[in-house]
Amino acid sequence: MWNQVMEFWSFNDLNVRYVTLGVCLIGISTAIVGCFTFLKKKALVGDAIAHAALPGVCLGFMLFDSKNPIVLLGGAFVTGWISLLAIDLITAKTKIKSDTSIGLVLSIFFGIGILLLTAIQRSGNAAQSGLDKFLFGKAASILPEDVYILGSVGLVLICTILLFFKPLSMVAFDPGYAKSIGIPVGLLELILSTLTVLAVATGIQAVGVVLMAALLITPAIAARYWTDRLWLMVLLAALFGGFSGTMGAMVSYLAPAMPTGPWIVVVISIIAFLSILFAPRKGFVARRLKLVRHRNKVLHENILKAFYHLAEEDASFYQARTAQEIYNRRPMPQKMLAKGLQSLKRKDLLKNESGDYWRLTKQGKEIGQRIVRIHRLWELYLQRFLKMAPDHVHPDADAMEHIISPELEALLVDELGNPQRDPHDREIPYNN
Amino acid sequence: MIIQAENPVVEVHNLSVTYHNKPVLWEADFSIPAGNLVGILGPNGAGKTTLIKAIMNLVDPSSGYVKLFDRPLDEVRPRVSYVPQKESVDWDFPTNVLDVVLMGRFGKRGFFRSWTRKDKEIALACLEKVGMQDFQKRQISQLSGGQQQRVFLARSLAQEADLYFMDEPFAGIDAATEDSILKLLLEMRSMGKTLLIVHHDLQSAFEYFDWFVFLNTRLVASGPKAEVFNREILQETYGSKLTLLHTISNLLTKEGLPMRDETDLE
């Protein structure tokens, strides 16, 4: 097994070289086109086109009695286009909504395709063997001469997208405005549709019609998680698409009995899954971490606030307190309190001189004071501007005191005109 | 009451638009003089957005035609700018503020040439005019509604046009932003530009605009403020629909019938 993997990556086998190059190019070009399909929210249309390619492949074979890639690709291209027109026509001329018409066209065309495929397989024509590979794809069945065709179509796709990158992105973002400044939106949409159909037609040999949409859309989804810049997104999608294509080719080499499509889809799905989980800022883990950090911040600030409240009562800010005193002032799970005290000590916001005696440092006092100040400012704001009763303002202020930034605090003080007392007639402590 | 302008910059002739056989704009016929701040007003569903989309050739009219600067739109496009409703786009699109504003320079630059330093300078100057110069690198999904509106406005300014159609530029913004946008529009008017603005608030409309177009599916009135901003016309615009017109319009929709005799070659 390991030897075979090494053998594959050495690219000594000429056939491997061709197949990998072909599938990799397919992955890259499909992913690039797919970015625009995705941004134009036409992902499902891509799926319909892919399924509609099957009857085209079969018809091409039946009419010309040949498995020449140009014939099959041409057939897929024609029926793919017809399905696209059918979707637009049904949506425009009937009361059927677009999602329904996509579903309708997808299943009808695919149904016809399966029908034709079965008919061909029963016909006893020996040349037909291998046509069923178009269902789930088989990279290894790509011949060197196919690669020239797939490769050139792939290059055409990539070059066209790069050439029209600027206007295409404008049309994807704001078609109405784009048209108003004289961009031929209709023509560009036609070009994009043609590219989509072409991408699908070339891709089905590697991935198969059933899973083609995944190769079109998933790289774009994954890439979107990593960046907010369009060109970078397209670049990443191309990288993901090319990589999963290459992996598919490898699987096809290692296990000739395996269909390639599912493997390519597994690889690209793993990439997408990892992106959704671990991408910075947008990823699930990053957002989760942010929440955890906020929760820690709330814990720390609540403890410091309790210190400050106690200090207000006996007017001695640097008096040592026990954990029990803090607990009595602000009940919270004992474990959390202990953990919070320790980490506040590490941050030099509390000092712990002997045993269970804790006292504020100067910095700690300032934070505690700031939280109390924001709490009271917000209570006052709610009372004055939202006309809330003084006995209703407390819970909201308890949450906001940890969220309001220094800039917002300054606005708040300004808006309220440097207030001195809160709705409960307690002093608002300023730092002076 | 429809007062036609002398030497108009905008001429709308018998313009009708239907969506799925439902007439949403019925035989609008009016003209607008140069250098005016024009308010397009009417209740919800009166066809205000449809009117400017039809003028900008974004929807196909079922009858009528439009002339801008006495020419068809295609011949004068560089002089005309359109500001769509900010809700019409997906603000989660992967792009930043400066790139959106640069779209306005496309007409000057064309398909394949990249932006020049001058384009960027103009785009930045336009951002400054709307008070958004500090946001040029900001991802557009992080903008507030008022900021989105101002970015659209800056993009339109970057076109350096003479005639502007703006769809609800005052929707969903705070009072301070509204003031600064209004100041900008007044400044543009004083430079001789003509601005047609879809607006929803009657009270501020009276202060802002010099010329009014009142719509309620049909054109109720068009003319200078002194002539058309009165109780009668407001009542006609915002009061009940014309019953007979409404019934016929429903009939067309229900039966799926065309608004025009399609065999008429004229």
Side-chain angles (χ1 to χ4, degrees), chain A residues 375-400 416 422-424:
Chain A
H375 183 102
R376 292 178 185 168
L377 283 169
W378 187 249
E379 285 190 337
L380 193 62
Y381 182 84
L382 289 180
Q383 188 209 19
R384 212 180 278 176
F385 291 94
L386 273 72
K387 312 282 178 232
M388 284 171 69
D391 57 333
H392 280 63
V393 293
H394 182 79
D396 197 69
D398 253 350
M400 288 308 143
L416 293 166
D422 80 352
H424 311 289

PDB file of all heavy atoms in Angstrom, chain A residues 375-400 416 422-424:
ATOM      1  N   HIS A 375     -22.193  49.983  35.092  1.00  0.00           N
ATOM      2  CA  HIS A 375     -23.460  49.422  35.540  1.00  0.00           C
ATOM      3  C   HIS A 375     -24.439  50.547  35.893  1.00  0.00           C
ATOM      4  O   HIS A 375     -25.569  50.566  35.425  1.00  0.00           O
ATOM      5  CB  HIS A 375     -23.206  48.534  36.768  1.00  0.00           C
ATOM      6  CG  HIS A 375     -24.433  47.851  37.278  1.00  0.00           C
ATOM      7  ND1 HIS A 375     -24.690  46.529  37.029  1.00  0.00           N
ATOM      8  CD2 HIS A 375     -25.480  48.310  38.006  1.00  0.00           C
ATOM      9  CE1 HIS A 375     -25.837  46.192  37.588  1.00  0.00           C
ATOM     10  NE2 HIS A 375     -26.335  47.262  38.199  1.00  0.00           N
ATOM     11  N   ARG A 376     -23.963  51.501  36.658  1.00  0.00           N
ATOM     12  CA  ARG A 376     -24.863  52.562  37.131  1.00  0.00           C
ATOM     13  C   ARG A 376     -25.212  53.528  35.999  1.00  0.00           C
ATOM     14  O   ARG A 376     -26.332  54.024  35.916  1.00  0.00           O
ATOM     15  CB  ARG A 376     -24.235  53.278  38.324  1.00  0.00           C
ATOM     16  CG  ARG A 376     -24.195  52.317  39.509  1.00  0.00           C
ATOM     17  CD  ARG A 376     -23.549  52.860  40.753  1.00  0.00           C
ATOM     18  NE  ARG A 376     -23.493  51.770  41.744  1.00  0.00           N
ATOM     19  CZ  ARG A 376     -22.794  51.804  42.856  1.00  0.00           C
ATOM     20  NH1 ARG A 376     -22.077  52.893  43.149  1.00  0.00           N
ATOM     21  NH2 ARG A 376     -22.798  50.794  43.682  1.00  0.00           N
ATOM     22  N   LEU A 377     -24.221  53.783  35.115  1.00  0.00           N
ATOM     23  CA  LEU A 377     -24.507  54.644  33.959  1.00  0.00           C
ATOM     24  C   LEU A 377     -25.590  54.019  33.089  1.00  0.00           C
ATOM     25  O   LEU A 377     -26.529  54.683  32.644  1.00  0.00           O
ATOM     26  CB  LEU A 377     -23.238  54.836  33.119  1.00  0.00           C
ATOM     27  CG  LEU A 377     -22.195  55.818  33.640  1.00  0.00           C
ATOM     28  CD1 LEU A 377     -20.915  55.686  32.837  1.00  0.00           C
ATOM     29  CD2 LEU A 377     -22.721  57.245  33.590  1.00  0.00           C
ATOM     30  N   TRP A 378     -25.470  52.715  32.863  1.00  0.00           N
ATOM     31  CA  TRP A 378     -26.431  52.037  31.990  1.00  0.00           C
ATOM     32  C   TRP A 378     -27.819  52.023  32.629  1.00  0.00           C
ATOM     33  O   TRP A 378     -28.832  52.218  31.967  1.00  0.00           O
ATOM     34  CB  TRP A 378     -25.953  50.619  31.672  1.00  0.00           C
ATOM     35  CG  TRP A 378     -26.822  49.953  30.642  1.00  0.00           C
ATOM     36  CD1 TRP A 378     -27.670  48.917  30.822  1.00  0.00           C
ATOM     37  CD2 TRP A 378     -26.942  50.334  29.265  1.00  0.00           C
ATOM     38  NE1 TRP A 378     -28.315  48.611  29.666  1.00  0.00           N
ATOM     39  CE2 TRP A 378     -27.888  49.456  28.680  1.00  0.00           C
ATOM     40  CE3 TRP A 378     -26.356  51.319  28.470  1.00  0.00           C
ATOM     41  CZ2 TRP A 378     -28.261  49.542  27.337  1.00  0.00           C
ATOM     42  CZ3 TRP A 378     -26.715  51.393  27.133  1.00  0.00           C
ATOM     43  CH2 TRP A 378     -27.658  50.520  26.579  1.00  0.00           C
ATOM     44  N   GLU A 379     -27.859  51.799  33.943  1.00  0.00           N
ATOM     45  CA  GLU A 379     -29.159  51.843  34.636  1.00  0.00           C
ATOM     46  C   GLU A 379     -29.824  53.189  34.438  1.00  0.00           C
ATOM     47  O   GLU A 379     -31.018  53.286  34.165  1.00  0.00           O
ATOM     48  CB  GLU A 379     -28.962  51.573  36.135  1.00  0.00           C
ATOM     49  CG  GLU A 379     -28.686  50.114  36.445  1.00  0.00           C
ATOM     50  CD  GLU A 379     -28.735  49.818  37.942  1.00  0.00           C
ATOM     51  OE1 GLU A 379     -28.540  50.760  38.748  1.00  0.00           O
ATOM     52  OE2 GLU A 379     -28.969  48.663  38.287  1.00  0.00           O
ATOM     53  N   LEU A 380     -28.984  54.225  34.546  1.00  0.00           N
ATOM     54  CA  LEU A 380     -29.524  55.569  34.406  1.00  0.00           C
ATOM     55  C   LEU A 380     -30.024  55.794  32.979  1.00  0.00           C
ATOM     56  O   LEU A 380     -31.081  56.385  32.748  1.00  0.00           O
ATOM     57  CB  LEU A 380     -28.429  56.591  34.743  1.00  0.00           C
ATOM     58  CG  LEU A 380     -28.915  58.026  34.941  1.00  0.00           C
ATOM     59  CD1 LEU A 380     -29.872  58.120  36.107  1.00  0.00           C
ATOM     60  CD2 LEU A 380     -27.722  58.953  35.170  1.00  0.00           C
ATOM     61  N   TYR A 381     -29.248  55.287  32.012  1.00  0.00           N
ATOM     62  CA  TYR A 381     -29.622  55.429  30.609  1.00  0.00           C
ATOM     63  C   TYR A 381     -30.965  54.749  30.346  1.00  0.00           C
ATOM     64  O   TYR A 381     -31.856  55.318  29.718  1.00  0.00           O
ATOM     65  CB  TYR A 381     -28.537  54.818  29.731  1.00  0.00           C
ATOM     66  CG  TYR A 381     -28.811  54.949  28.252  1.00  0.00           C
ATOM     67  CD1 TYR A 381     -28.477  56.109  27.566  1.00  0.00           C
ATOM     68  CD2 TYR A 381     -29.409  53.912  27.538  1.00  0.00           C
ATOM     69  CE1 TYR A 381     -28.721  56.240  26.213  1.00  0.00           C
ATOM     70  CE2 TYR A 381     -29.663  54.032  26.176  1.00  0.00           C
ATOM     71  CZ  TYR A 381     -29.314  55.202  25.520  1.00  0.00           C
ATOM     72  OH  TYR A 381     -29.568  55.327  24.181  1.00  0.00           O
ATOM     73  N   LEU A 382     -31.105  53.525  30.863  1.00  0.00           N
ATOM     74  CA  LEU A 382     -32.353  52.782  30.660  1.00  0.00           C
ATOM     75  C   LEU A 382     -33.529  53.541  31.270  1.00  0.00           C
ATOM     76  O   LEU A 382     -34.598  53.635  30.689  1.00  0.00           O
ATOM     77  CB  LEU A 382     -32.261  51.393  31.301  1.00  0.00           C
ATOM     78  CG  LEU A 382     -31.348  50.387  30.610  1.00  0.00           C
ATOM     79  CD1 LEU A 382     -31.365  49.066  31.369  1.00  0.00           C
ATOM     80  CD2 LEU A 382     -31.781  50.169  29.174  1.00  0.00           C
ATOM     81  N   GLN A 383     -33.292  54.108  32.451  1.00  0.00           N
ATOM     82  CA  GLN A 383     -34.378  54.809  33.116  1.00  0.00           C
ATOM     83  C   GLN A 383     -34.743  56.085  32.360  1.00  0.00           C
ATOM     84  O   GLN A 383     -35.905  56.372  32.122  1.00  0.00           O
ATOM     85  CB  GLN A 383     -33.973  55.162  34.555  1.00  0.00           C
ATOM     86  CG  GLN A 383     -35.142  55.707  35.349  1.00  0.00           C
ATOM     87  CD  GLN A 383     -34.694  56.667  36.427  1.00  0.00           C
ATOM     88  OE1 GLN A 383     -33.588  57.212  36.392  1.00  0.00           O
ATOM     89  NE2 GLN A 383     -35.547  56.881  37.391  1.00  0.00           N
ATOM     90  N   ARG A 384     -33.716  56.795  31.927  1.00  0.00           N
ATOM     91  CA  ARG A 384     -33.990  58.094  31.344  1.00  0.00           C
ATOM     92  C   ARG A 384     -34.505  58.001  29.898  1.00  0.00           C
ATOM     93  O   ARG A 384     -35.419  58.683  29.513  1.00  0.00           O
ATOM     94  CB  ARG A 384     -32.723  58.950  31.386  1.00  0.00           C
ATOM     95  CG  ARG A 384     -33.076  60.416  31.550  1.00  0.00           C
ATOM     96  CD  ARG A 384     -31.855  61.284  31.596  1.00  0.00           C
ATOM     97  NE  ARG A 384     -31.214  61.347  32.890  1.00  0.00           N
ATOM     98  CZ  ARG A 384     -30.072  62.015  33.082  1.00  0.00           C
ATOM     99  NH1 ARG A 384     -29.481  62.631  32.078  1.00  0.00           N
ATOM    100  NH2 ARG A 384     -29.519  62.059  34.274  1.00  0.00           N
ATOM    101  N   PHE A 385     -33.879  57.112  29.090  1.00  0.00           N
ATOM    102  CA  PHE A 385     -34.223  57.100  27.661  1.00  0.00           C
ATOM    103  C   PHE A 385     -35.205  56.003  27.276  1.00  0.00           C
ATOM    104  O   PHE A 385     -35.946  56.131  26.322  1.00  0.00           O
ATOM    105  CB  PHE A 385     -32.962  56.976  26.808  1.00  0.00           C
ATOM    106  CG  PHE A 385     -32.109  58.208  26.864  1.00  0.00           C
ATOM    107  CD1 PHE A 385     -31.068  58.320  27.760  1.00  0.00           C
ATOM    108  CD2 PHE A 385     -32.380  59.275  26.024  1.00  0.00           C
ATOM    109  CE1 PHE A 385     -30.290  59.452  27.828  1.00  0.00           C
ATOM    110  CE2 PHE A 385     -31.608  60.427  26.083  1.00  0.00           C
ATOM    111  CZ  PHE A 385     -30.561  60.520  26.990  1.00  0.00           C
ATOM    112  N   LEU A 386     -35.201  54.900  28.032  1.00  0.00           N
ATOM    113  CA  LEU A 386     -36.149  53.839  27.714  1.00  0.00           C
ATOM    114  C   LEU A 386     -37.332  53.851  28.668  1.00  0.00           C
ATOM    115  O   LEU A 386     -38.204  53.004  28.583  1.00  0.00           O
ATOM    116  CB  LEU A 386     -35.468  52.462  27.745  1.00  0.00           C
ATOM    117  CG  LEU A 386     -34.810  52.050  26.431  1.00  0.00           C
ATOM    118  CD1 LEU A 386     -33.550  52.852  26.173  1.00  0.00           C
ATOM    119  CD2 LEU A 386     -34.485  50.562  26.432  1.00  0.00           C
ATOM    120  N   LYS A 387     -37.340  54.829  29.551  1.00  0.00           N
ATOM    121  CA  LYS A 387     -38.434  55.004  30.512  1.00  0.00           C
ATOM    122  C   LYS A 387     -38.709  53.728  31.300  1.00  0.00           C
ATOM    123  O   LYS A 387     -39.858  53.357  31.525  1.00  0.00           O
ATOM    124  CB  LYS A 387     -39.741  55.426  29.795  1.00  0.00           C
ATOM    125  CG  LYS A 387     -39.591  56.551  28.803  1.00  0.00           C
ATOM    126  CD  LYS A 387     -39.498  57.902  29.493  1.00  0.00           C
ATOM    127  CE  LYS A 387     -39.306  59.000  28.478  1.00  0.00           C
ATOM    128  NZ  LYS A 387     -38.157  59.873  28.782  1.00  0.00           N
ATOM    129  N   MET A 388     -37.639  53.021  31.685  1.00  0.00           N
ATOM    130  CA  MET A 388     -37.847  51.820  32.469  1.00  0.00           C
ATOM    131  C   MET A 388     -37.875  52.174  33.957  1.00  0.00           C
ATOM    132  O   MET A 388     -37.197  53.095  34.400  1.00  0.00           O
ATOM    133  CB  MET A 388     -36.724  50.806  32.189  1.00  0.00           C
ATOM    134  CG  MET A 388     -36.899  50.107  30.850  1.00  0.00           C
ATOM    135  SD  MET A 388     -35.474  49.121  30.387  1.00  0.00           S
ATOM    136  CE  MET A 388     -35.560  47.791  31.584  1.00  0.00           C
ATOM    137  N   ALA A 389     -38.664  51.400  34.696  1.00  0.00           N
ATOM    138  CA  ALA A 389     -38.755  51.646  36.134  1.00  0.00           C
ATOM    139  C   ALA A 389     -37.423  51.269  36.791  1.00  0.00           C
ATOM    140  O   ALA A 389     -36.780  50.325  36.361  1.00  0.00           O
ATOM    141  CB  ALA A 389     -39.885  50.825  36.725  1.00  0.00           C
ATOM    142  N   PRO A 390     -37.009  52.005  37.851  1.00  0.00           N
ATOM    143  CA  PRO A 390     -35.723  51.738  38.503  1.00  0.00           C
ATOM    144  C   PRO A 390     -35.564  50.294  38.985  1.00  0.00           C
ATOM    145  O   PRO A 390     -34.462  49.768  38.994  1.00  0.00           O
ATOM    146  CB  PRO A 390     -35.717  52.701  39.694  1.00  0.00           C
ATOM    147  CG  PRO A 390     -36.617  53.804  39.278  1.00  0.00           C
ATOM    148  CD  PRO A 390     -37.653  53.199  38.394  1.00  0.00           C
ATOM    149  N   ASP A 391     -36.660  49.624  39.334  1.00  0.00           N
ATOM    150  CA  ASP A 391     -36.516  48.252  39.823  1.00  0.00           C
ATOM    151  C   ASP A 391     -36.444  47.238  38.681  1.00  0.00           C
ATOM    152  O   ASP A 391     -36.398  46.042  38.906  1.00  0.00           O
ATOM    153  CB  ASP A 391     -37.659  47.901  40.779  1.00  0.00           C
ATOM    154  CG  ASP A 391     -39.014  48.067  40.137  1.00  0.00           C
ATOM    155  OD1 ASP A 391     -39.125  48.901  39.209  1.00  0.00           O
ATOM    156  OD2 ASP A 391     -39.964  47.361  40.532  1.00  0.00           O
ATOM    157  N   HIS A 392     -36.433  47.715  37.427  1.00  0.00           N
ATOM    158  CA  HIS A 392     -36.352  46.782  36.301  1.00  0.00           C
ATOM    159  C   HIS A 392     -35.018  46.862  35.565  1.00  0.00           C
ATOM    160  O   HIS A 392     -34.767  46.100  34.654  1.00  0.00           O
ATOM    161  CB  HIS A 392     -37.467  47.084  35.296  1.00  0.00           C
ATOM    162  CG  HIS A 392     -38.781  46.522  35.703  1.00  0.00           C
ATOM    163  ND1 HIS A 392     -39.430  46.925  36.835  1.00  0.00           N
ATOM    164  CD2 HIS A 392     -39.563  45.581  35.128  1.00  0.00           C
ATOM    165  CE1 HIS A 392     -40.569  46.257  36.949  1.00  0.00           C
ATOM    166  NE2 HIS A 392     -40.673  45.441  35.919  1.00  0.00           N
ATOM    167  N   VAL A 393     -34.180  47.819  35.936  1.00  0.00           N
ATOM    168  CA  VAL A 393     -33.007  48.090  35.122  1.00  0.00           C
ATOM    169  C   VAL A 393     -31.804  47.226  35.473  1.00  0.00           C
ATOM    170  O   VAL A 393     -30.877  47.102  34.680  1.00  0.00           O
ATOM    171  CB  VAL A 393     -32.598  49.583  35.203  1.00  0.00           C
ATOM    172  CG1 VAL A 393     -33.662  50.436  34.560  1.00  0.00           C
ATOM    173  CG2 VAL A 393     -32.352  49.994  36.638  1.00  0.00           C
ATOM    174  N   HIS A 394     -31.832  46.586  36.647  1.00  0.00           N
ATOM    175  CA  HIS A 394     -30.641  45.906  37.129  1.00  0.00           C
ATOM    176  C   HIS A 394     -30.147  44.728  36.278  1.00  0.00           C
ATOM    177  O   HIS A 394     -28.972  44.686  35.913  1.00  0.00           O
ATOM    178  CB  HIS A 394     -30.842  45.482  38.586  1.00  0.00           C
ATOM    179  CG  HIS A 394     -29.648  44.821  39.177  1.00  0.00           C
ATOM    180  ND1 HIS A 394     -28.564  45.530  39.617  1.00  0.00           N
ATOM    181  CD2 HIS A 394     -29.362  43.513  39.355  1.00  0.00           C
ATOM    182  CE1 HIS A 394     -27.647  44.689  40.065  1.00  0.00           C
ATOM    183  NE2 HIS A 394     -28.111  43.461  39.912  1.00  0.00           N
ATOM    184  N   PRO A 395     -31.023  43.777  35.899  1.00  0.00           N
ATOM    185  CA  PRO A 395     -30.514  42.598  35.160  1.00  0.00           C
ATOM    186  C   PRO A 395     -29.845  42.984  33.845  1.00  0.00           C
ATOM    187  O   PRO A 395     -28.799  42.419  33.484  1.00  0.00           O
ATOM    188  CB  PRO A 395     -31.786  41.774  34.894  1.00  0.00           C
ATOM    189  CG  PRO A 395     -32.789  42.271  35.860  1.00  0.00           C
ATOM    190  CD  PRO A 395     -32.457  43.690  36.158  1.00  0.00           C
ATOM    191  N   ASP A 396     -30.433  43.941  33.132  1.00  0.00           N
ATOM    192  CA  ASP A 396     -29.856  44.368  31.867  1.00  0.00           C
ATOM    193  C   ASP A 396     -28.470  44.974  32.082  1.00  0.00           C
ATOM    194  O   ASP A 396     -27.525  44.681  31.342  1.00  0.00           O
ATOM    195  CB  ASP A 396     -30.799  45.384  31.223  1.00  0.00           C
ATOM    196  CG  ASP A 396     -30.505  45.556  29.756  1.00  0.00           C
ATOM    197  OD1 ASP A 396     -30.768  44.600  29.009  1.00  0.00           O
ATOM    198  OD2 ASP A 396     -29.987  46.616  29.375  1.00  0.00           O
ATOM    199  N   ALA A 397     -28.360  45.803  33.106  1.00  0.00           N
ATOM    200  CA  ALA A 397     -27.069  46.445  33.378  1.00  0.00           C
ATOM    201  C   ALA A 397     -26.022  45.409  33.775  1.00  0.00           C
ATOM    202  O   ALA A 397     -24.840  45.565  33.464  1.00  0.00           O
ATOM    203  CB  ALA A 397     -27.230  47.485  34.489  1.00  0.00           C
ATOM    204  N   ASP A 398     -26.463  44.315  34.433  1.00  0.00           N
ATOM    205  CA  ASP A 398     -25.527  43.263  34.830  1.00  0.00           C
ATOM    206  C   ASP A 398     -24.840  42.638  33.613  1.00  0.00           C
ATOM    207  O   ASP A 398     -23.695  42.201  33.701  1.00  0.00           O
ATOM    208  CB  ASP A 398     -26.270  42.168  35.613  1.00  0.00           C
ATOM    209  CG  ASP A 398     -25.928  42.225  37.093  1.00  0.00           C
ATOM    210  OD1 ASP A 398     -24.981  42.985  37.435  1.00  0.00           O
ATOM    211  OD2 ASP A 398     -26.586  41.537  37.888  1.00  0.00           O
ATOM    212  N   ALA A 399     -25.558  42.574  32.475  1.00  0.00           N
ATOM    213  CA  ALA A 399     -24.947  42.014  31.264  1.00  0.00           C
ATOM    214  C   ALA A 399     -24.140  43.075  30.533  1.00  0.00           C
ATOM    215  O   ALA A 399     -23.035  42.821  30.071  1.00  0.00           O
ATOM    216  CB  ALA A 399     -26.029  41.443  30.358  1.00  0.00           C
ATOM    217  N   MET A 400     -24.689  44.277  30.436  1.00  0.00           N
ATOM    218  CA  MET A 400     -24.053  45.325  29.639  1.00  0.00           C
ATOM    219  C   MET A 400     -22.734  45.809  30.229  1.00  0.00           C
ATOM    220  O   MET A 400     -21.846  46.245  29.507  1.00  0.00           O
ATOM    221  CB  MET A 400     -24.994  46.539  29.500  1.00  0.00           C
ATOM    222  CG  MET A 400     -26.166  46.301  28.597  1.00  0.00           C
ATOM    223  SD  MET A 400     -25.619  45.659  27.012  1.00  0.00           S
ATOM    224  CE  MET A 400     -26.912  44.516  26.664  1.00  0.00           C
ATOM    225  N   LEU A 416     -25.557  61.466  28.947  1.00  0.00           N
ATOM    226  CA  LEU A 416     -26.255  61.641  30.221  1.00  0.00           C
ATOM    227  C   LEU A 416     -25.809  62.917  30.920  1.00  0.00           C
ATOM    228  O   LEU A 416     -26.351  63.269  31.978  1.00  0.00           O
ATOM    229  CB  LEU A 416     -25.989  60.437  31.128  1.00  0.00           C
ATOM    230  CG  LEU A 416     -26.596  59.102  30.656  1.00  0.00           C
ATOM    231  CD1 LEU A 416     -26.002  57.933  31.423  1.00  0.00           C
ATOM    232  CD2 LEU A 416     -28.105  59.126  30.815  1.00  0.00           C
ATOM    233  N   ASP A 422     -26.993  57.308  40.353  1.00  0.00           N
ATOM    234  CA  ASP A 422     -27.775  56.379  39.538  1.00  0.00           C
ATOM    235  C   ASP A 422     -29.244  56.362  39.989  1.00  0.00           C
ATOM    236  O   ASP A 422     -29.602  57.086  40.917  1.00  0.00           O
ATOM    237  CB  ASP A 422     -27.120  54.982  39.594  1.00  0.00           C
ATOM    238  CG  ASP A 422     -27.465  54.228  40.868  1.00  0.00           C
ATOM    239  OD1 ASP A 422     -28.078  54.835  41.774  1.00  0.00           O
ATOM    240  OD2 ASP A 422     -27.117  53.045  40.954  1.00  0.00           O
ATOM    241  N   PRO A 423     -30.124  55.572  39.322  1.00  0.00           N
ATOM    242  CA  PRO A 423     -31.549  55.598  39.680  1.00  0.00           C
ATOM    243  C   PRO A 423     -31.825  55.167  41.120  1.00  0.00           C
ATOM    244  O   PRO A 423     -32.883  55.472  41.659  1.00  0.00           O
ATOM    245  CB  PRO A 423     -32.184  54.606  38.699  1.00  0.00           C
ATOM    246  CG  PRO A 423     -31.236  54.520  37.567  1.00  0.00           C
ATOM    247  CD  PRO A 423     -29.878  54.740  38.140  1.00  0.00           C
ATOM    248  N   HIS A 424     -30.891  54.453  41.741  1.00  0.00           N
ATOM    249  CA  HIS A 424     -31.091  54.035  43.129  1.00  0.00           C
ATOM    250  C   HIS A 424     -30.408  54.998  44.084  1.00  0.00           C
ATOM    251  O   HIS A 424     -30.171  54.677  45.251  1.00  0.00           O
ATOM    252  CB  HIS A 424     -30.555  52.618  43.336  1.00  0.00           C
ATOM    253  CG  HIS A 424     -31.028  51.659  42.286  1.00  0.00           C
ATOM    254  ND1 HIS A 424     -32.328  51.220  42.223  1.00  0.00           N
ATOM    255  CD2 HIS A 424     -30.396  51.089  41.237  1.00  0.00           C
ATOM    256  CE1 HIS A 424     -32.467  50.400  41.194  1.00  0.00           C
ATOM    257  NE2 HIS A 424     -31.297  50.324  40.575  1.00  0.00           N
TER     258      HIS A 424
END
